Tab-separated table of all heavy atoms in Angstrom:
chain	number	residue	atom	x	y	z
A	12	GLY	N	45.053	-73.391	-28.432
A	12	GLY	CA	44.493	-72.068	-28.695
A	12	GLY	C	45.043	-71.492	-29.991
A	12	GLY	O	45.790	-72.144	-30.719
A	13	LYS	N	44.664	-70.261	-30.268
A	13	LYS	CA	45.073	-69.597	-31.504
A	13	LYS	C	46.251	-68.653	-31.246
A	13	LYS	O	46.360	-68.037	-30.201
A	13	LYS	CB	43.897	-68.807	-32.095
A	13	LYS	CG	42.757	-69.691	-32.585
A	13	LYS	CD	41.662	-68.858	-33.243
A	13	LYS	CE	40.555	-69.757	-33.790
A	13	LYS	NZ	39.484	-68.971	-34.446
A	14	GLY	N	47.110	-68.561	-32.259
A	14	GLY	CA	48.209	-67.607	-32.200
A	14	GLY	C	49.186	-67.860	-31.061
A	14	GLY	O	49.683	-66.916	-30.442
A	15	ILE	N	49.499	-69.121	-30.808
A	15	ILE	CA	50.400	-69.448	-29.702
A	15	ILE	C	51.825	-69.008	-30.054
A	15	ILE	O	52.312	-69.245	-31.160
A	15	ILE	CB	50.381	-70.953	-29.394
A	15	ILE	CG1	48.939	-71.423	-29.103
A	15	ILE	CG2	51.309	-71.279	-28.226
A	15	ILE	CD1	48.286	-70.722	-27.939
A	16	VAL	N	52.472	-68.360	-29.105
A	16	VAL	CA	53.871	-67.945	-29.263
A	16	VAL	C	54.671	-68.471	-28.067
A	16	VAL	O	54.108	-68.881	-27.056
A	16	VAL	CB	54.010	-66.404	-29.348
A	16	VAL	CG1	53.309	-65.867	-30.583
A	16	VAL	CG2	53.467	-65.731	-28.085
A	17	GLY	N	55.995	-68.457	-28.214
A	17	GLY	CA	56.851	-68.844	-27.105
A	17	GLY	C	56.691	-67.884	-25.945
A	17	GLY	O	56.333	-66.716	-26.127
A	18	TRP	N	56.949	-68.354	-24.746
A	18	TRP	CA	56.795	-67.525	-23.557
A	18	TRP	C	57.577	-66.228	-23.677
A	18	TRP	O	58.708	-66.205	-24.154
A	18	TRP	CB	57.277	-68.276	-22.321
A	18	TRP	CG	56.353	-69.352	-21.866
A	18	TRP	CD1	55.120	-69.658	-22.374
A	18	TRP	CD2	56.596	-70.287	-20.812
A	18	TRP	NE1	54.578	-70.711	-21.701
A	18	TRP	CE2	55.466	-71.127	-20.728
A	18	TRP	CE3	57.653	-70.500	-19.934
A	18	TRP	CZ2	55.360	-72.149	-19.802
A	18	TRP	CZ3	57.560	-71.525	-19.005
A	18	TRP	CH2	56.422	-72.335	-18.952
A	19	TYR	N	56.964	-65.172	-23.217
A	19	TYR	CA	57.618	-63.863	-23.171
A	19	TYR	C	58.096	-63.633	-21.739
A	19	TYR	O	57.294	-63.582	-20.810
A	19	TYR	CB	56.624	-62.763	-23.587
A	19	TYR	CG	57.162	-61.367	-23.444
A	19	TYR	CD1	58.011	-60.832	-24.405
A	19	TYR	CD2	56.836	-60.588	-22.336
A	19	TYR	CE1	58.519	-59.554	-24.267
A	19	TYR	CE2	57.335	-59.316	-22.194
A	19	TYR	CZ	58.170	-58.803	-23.156
A	19	TYR	OH	58.673	-57.535	-23.010
A	20	ASP	N	59.413	-63.524	-21.571
A	20	ASP	CA	59.982	-63.380	-20.235
A	20	ASP	C	61.302	-62.613	-20.329
A	20	ASP	O	62.263	-63.090	-20.951
A	20	ASP	CB	60.226	-64.768	-19.626
A	20	ASP	CG	60.530	-64.711	-18.131
A	20	ASP	OD1	61.135	-63.719	-17.687
A	20	ASP	OD2	60.177	-65.664	-17.408
A	21	VAL	N	61.369	-61.463	-19.712
A	21	VAL	CA	62.584	-60.641	-19.772
A	21	VAL	C	63.761	-61.329	-19.105
A	21	VAL	O	64.918	-60.973	-19.357
A	21	VAL	CB	62.359	-59.251	-19.126
A	21	VAL	CG1	61.336	-58.458	-19.932
A	21	VAL	CG2	61.919	-59.381	-17.666
A	22	HIS	N	63.503	-62.324	-18.264
A	22	HIS	CA	64.588	-63.025	-17.590
A	22	HIS	C	65.433	-63.858	-18.548
A	22	HIS	O	66.510	-64.312	-18.187
A	22	HIS	CB	64.035	-63.909	-16.463
A	22	HIS	CG	63.457	-63.133	-15.334
A	22	HIS	ND1	62.103	-62.895	-15.219
A	22	HIS	CD2	64.038	-62.487	-14.286
A	22	HIS	CE1	61.872	-62.169	-14.136
A	22	HIS	NE2	63.023	-61.908	-13.554
A	23	TRP	N	64.948	-64.115	-19.751
A	23	TRP	CA	65.801	-64.767	-20.752
A	23	TRP	C	65.923	-63.907	-22.003
A	23	TRP	O	66.220	-64.385	-23.089
A	23	TRP	CB	65.328	-66.169	-21.090
A	23	TRP	CG	63.925	-66.342	-21.580
A	23	TRP	CD1	63.320	-65.722	-22.635
A	23	TRP	CD2	62.961	-67.266	-21.064
A	23	TRP	NE1	62.042	-66.179	-22.802
A	23	TRP	CE2	61.789	-67.139	-21.852
A	23	TRP	CE3	62.982	-68.201	-20.025
A	23	TRP	CZ2	60.655	-67.898	-21.626
A	23	TRP	CZ3	61.843	-68.946	-19.800
A	23	TRP	CH2	60.692	-68.802	-20.589
A	24	GLY	N	65.717	-62.603	-21.838
A	24	GLY	CA	66.008	-61.663	-22.916
A	24	GLY	C	64.896	-61.417	-23.908
A	24	GLY	O	65.148	-60.894	-25.004
A	25	SER	N	63.653	-61.761	-23.560
A	25	SER	CA	62.544	-61.481	-24.478
A	25	SER	C	62.392	-59.977	-24.693
A	25	SER	O	62.632	-59.182	-23.785
A	25	SER	CB	61.233	-62.044	-23.919
A	25	SER	OG	61.255	-63.443	-23.809
A	26	ASP	N	62.002	-59.628	-25.896
A	26	ASP	CA	61.790	-58.228	-26.245
A	26	ASP	C	60.523	-58.130	-27.092
A	26	ASP	O	60.462	-58.702	-28.185
A	26	ASP	CB	62.995	-57.686	-27.012
A	26	ASP	CG	62.868	-56.209	-27.344
A	26	ASP	OD1	62.117	-55.865	-28.283
A	26	ASP	OD2	63.512	-55.392	-26.649
A	27	LEU	N	59.521	-57.415	-26.591
A	27	LEU	CA	58.213	-57.399	-27.243
A	27	LEU	C	58.259	-56.742	-28.619
A	27	LEU	O	57.648	-57.233	-29.575
A	27	LEU	CB	57.191	-56.694	-26.350
A	27	LEU	CG	55.731	-56.761	-26.801
A	27	LEU	CD1	55.273	-58.202	-26.981
A	27	LEU	CD2	54.832	-56.041	-25.790
A	28	ARG	N	58.996	-55.648	-28.742
A	28	ARG	CA	59.080	-54.971	-30.043
A	28	ARG	C	59.722	-55.883	-31.080
A	28	ARG	O	59.222	-56.011	-32.204
A	28	ARG	CB	59.886	-53.678	-29.909
A	28	ARG	CG	60.000	-52.907	-31.225
A	28	ARG	CD	60.760	-51.607	-31.030
A	28	ARG	NE	60.016	-50.674	-30.191
A	28	ARG	CZ	60.447	-49.445	-29.894
A	28	ARG	NH1	61.629	-49.030	-30.344
A	28	ARG	NH2	59.716	-48.656	-29.150
A	29	ASP	N	60.828	-56.533	-30.706
A	29	ASP	CA	61.478	-57.459	-31.631
A	29	ASP	C	60.568	-58.637	-31.975
A	29	ASP	O	60.544	-59.104	-33.122
A	29	ASP	CB	62.772	-57.990	-31.018
A	29	ASP	CG	63.910	-56.986	-31.055
A	29	ASP	OD1	63.807	-55.989	-31.789
A	29	ASP	OD2	64.905	-57.204	-30.339
A	30	PHE	N	59.843	-59.111	-30.967
A	30	PHE	CA	58.929	-60.242	-31.162
A	30	PHE	C	57.917	-59.915	-32.266
A	30	PHE	O	57.697	-60.706	-33.196
A	30	PHE	CB	58.211	-60.531	-29.847
A	30	PHE	CG	57.969	-61.988	-29.549
A	30	PHE	CD1	57.956	-62.452	-28.230
A	30	PHE	CD2	57.731	-62.906	-30.558
A	30	PHE	CE1	57.725	-63.786	-27.934
A	30	PHE	CE2	57.494	-64.246	-30.278
A	30	PHE	CZ	57.495	-64.680	-28.953
A	31	LYS	N	57.309	-58.746	-32.180
A	31	LYS	CA	56.303	-58.341	-33.177
A	31	LYS	C	56.921	-58.212	-34.564
A	31	LYS	O	56.333	-58.644	-35.563
A	31	LYS	CB	55.652	-57.029	-32.752
A	31	LYS	CG	54.788	-57.130	-31.510
A	31	LYS	CD	54.230	-55.760	-31.135
A	31	LYS	CE	53.395	-55.819	-29.864
A	31	LYS	NZ	52.856	-54.484	-29.490
A	32	LYS	N	58.112	-57.623	-34.629
A	32	LYS	CA	58.790	-57.480	-35.919
A	32	LYS	C	59.086	-58.842	-36.531
A	32	LYS	O	58.953	-59.035	-37.746
A	32	LYS	CB	60.093	-56.697	-35.744
A	32	LYS	CG	59.915	-55.207	-35.505
A	32	LYS	CD	61.270	-54.517	-35.371
A	32	LYS	CE	61.123	-53.022	-35.138
A	32	LYS	NZ	62.457	-52.377	-34.975
A	33	SER	N	59.485	-59.773	-35.691
A	33	SER	CA	59.815	-61.111	-36.186
A	33	SER	C	58.587	-61.840	-36.721
A	33	SER	O	58.662	-62.510	-37.761
A	33	SER	CB	60.481	-61.929	-35.071
A	33	SER	OG	61.753	-61.402	-34.743
A	34	ILE	N	57.468	-61.709	-36.039
A	34	ILE	CA	56.230	-62.335	-36.536
A	34	ILE	C	55.837	-61.729	-37.878
A	34	ILE	O	55.438	-62.443	-38.814
A	34	ILE	CB	55.088	-62.175	-35.508
A	34	ILE	CG1	55.401	-62.937	-34.217
A	34	ILE	CG2	53.766	-62.666	-36.115
A	34	ILE	CD1	55.493	-64.428	-34.356
A	35	LYS	N	55.961	-60.412	-38.005
A	35	LYS	CA	55.642	-59.751	-39.284
A	35	LYS	C	56.573	-60.234	-40.389
A	35	LYS	O	56.151	-60.431	-41.536
A	35	LYS	CB	55.734	-58.235	-39.124
A	35	LYS	CG	54.635	-57.631	-38.261
A	35	LYS	CD	54.843	-56.133	-38.058
A	35	LYS	CE	53.766	-55.540	-37.154
A	35	LYS	NZ	53.991	-54.086	-36.896
A	36	LYS	N	57.844	-60.421	-40.053
A	36	LYS	CA	58.802	-60.941	-41.036
A	36	LYS	C	58.389	-62.333	-41.500
A	36	LYS	O	58.392	-62.619	-42.705
A	36	LYS	CB	60.205	-60.994	-40.433
A	36	LYS	CG	61.253	-61.578	-41.373
A	36	LYS	CD	62.555	-61.894	-40.657
A	36	LYS	CE	63.372	-60.678	-40.382
A	36	LYS	NZ	64.749	-61.024	-39.925
A	37	LEU	N	58.026	-63.190	-40.558
A	37	LEU	CA	57.616	-64.552	-40.910
A	37	LEU	C	56.363	-64.545	-41.774
A	37	LEU	O	56.261	-65.299	-42.748
A	37	LEU	CB	57.387	-65.371	-39.639
A	37	LEU	CG	58.615	-65.630	-38.760
A	37	LEU	CD1	58.197	-66.329	-37.475
A	37	LEU	CD2	59.668	-66.444	-39.500
A	38	LYS	N	55.433	-63.683	-41.441
A	38	LYS	CA	54.197	-63.604	-42.220
A	38	LYS	C	54.475	-63.173	-43.653
A	38	LYS	O	53.863	-63.668	-44.602
A	38	LYS	CB	53.217	-62.638	-41.550
A	38	LYS	CG	51.853	-62.583	-42.209
A	38	LYS	CD	50.913	-61.656	-41.454
A	38	LYS	CE	49.552	-61.563	-42.139
A	38	LYS	NZ	48.647	-60.617	-41.436
């Protein structure tokens, strides 16, 4: 599929706000 990202799961410390910032940084 398109735009695949690593699993988002709070049980291993995922953070949605940080995730978005990191993708923007990479872009």
Side-chain angles (χ1 to χ4, degrees):
K13 293 184 177 181
I15 304 301
V16 296
W18 286 355
Y19 174 80
D20 193 328
V21 295
H22 292 98
W23 57 55
S25 296
D26 183 283
L27 188 56
R28 181 178 293 182
D29 284 345
F30 217 148
K31 292 178 182 180
K32 286 181 180 179
S33 293
I34 295 296
K35 290 176 182 177
K36 178 192 283 191
L37 295 174
K38 185 177 178 182

